[in-house]
C-alpha cells in the first residue's frame, strides 16, 4: 500500500475528523464544487540509502492543508488531523513538525497548513 493510500485511510478512519469534513479528504487537489471544510494533502518522498545503495527507508513529508470558512474552523480541522496522526502505527513515526495559518483571497477561505513526517 502506498503512503498516499495509508495516510488517506488514517484520516478517513478518524471519526473526529470525518465528523467535520465528511468525505472532503483529497490527494493533491479537491474536485471543483467540494464543500468546505476540507483537507487536501500531498506527499514528497525522500529515500534513505545504505552505503551499498539499497533503499533502507522512504522518509515522506506530507503537506496537509486544512481549509474552512473561518480561522477557528480551520484550526479545529487541523487539530483533528493532528489527533489522527497520533493514532498512526508506531512504525510510521507520524509526527507533525510544523503548523502555519494561511488565507486564500480567491476563495476567501481560511486554512492551516501542517507538515507531517511519515516513514515508509
Amino acid at each position: 500500500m502506498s503512503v498516499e493510500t495509508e495516510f488517506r485511510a488514517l484520516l478517513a478512519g478518524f471519526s473526529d475528523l470525518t465528523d467535520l469534513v465528511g468525505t472532503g479528504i483529497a490527494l493533491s487537489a479537491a474536485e471543483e464544487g467540494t464543500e468546505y471544510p476540507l483537507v487536501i494533502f500531498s506527499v514528497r518522498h525522500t529515500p534513505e540509502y545504505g552505503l551499498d545503495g539499497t533503499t533502507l527507508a522512504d522518509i515522506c513529508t506530507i503537506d496537509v492543508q486544512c481549509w474552512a470558512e473561518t480561522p477557528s474552523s480551520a484550526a479545529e480541522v487541523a487539530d483533528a488531523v493532528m489527533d489522527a496522526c497520533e493514532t498512526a502505527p508506531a512504525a510510521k513515526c507520524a509526527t507533525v513538525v510544523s503548523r502555519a495559518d494561511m488565507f486564500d483571497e480567491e476563495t476567501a477561505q481560511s486554512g492551516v497548513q501542517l507538515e507531517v513526517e511519515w516513514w515508509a
Side-chain angles (χ1 to χ4, degrees):
M1 188 181 305
S2 72
V3 171
E4 292 79 359
T5 301
E6 286 180 321
F7 187 72
R8 188 184 190 298
L10 177 77
L11 297 183
F14 193 71
S15 64
D16 288 354
L17 178 60
T18 57
D19 288 348
L20 297 170
V21 301
T23 59
I25 302 169
L27 174 62
S28 300
E31 292 184 25
E32 191 170 327
T34 301
E35 305 247 344
Y36 291 88
L38 59 92
V39 174
I40 301 170
F41 70 95
S42 60
V43 181
R44 183 177 69 244
H45 296 265
T46 307
E48 187 77 22
Y49 297 105
L51 293 175
D52 62 355
T54 59
T55 303
L56 302 176
D58 184 15
I59 304 167
C60 300
T61 303
I62 305 173
D63 175 47
V64 184
Q65 297 179 358
C66 306
W67 293 103
E69 293 182 357
T70 66
S72 61
S73 295
E76 187 177 10
V77 172
D79 290 343
V81 169
M82 291 176 69
D83 291 345
C85 287
E86 289 180 10
T87 70
K92 301 302 176 187
C93 298
T95 305
V96 177
V97 295
S98 70
R99 179 178 177 141
D101 294 331
M102 55 189 178
F103 183 77
D104 185 331
E105 291 182 19
E106 186 176 313
T107 63
Q109 298 296 312
S110 295
V112 174
Q113 182 169 343
L114 303 173
E115 186 175 304
V116 179
E117 288 187 356
W118 180 283
W119 288 65

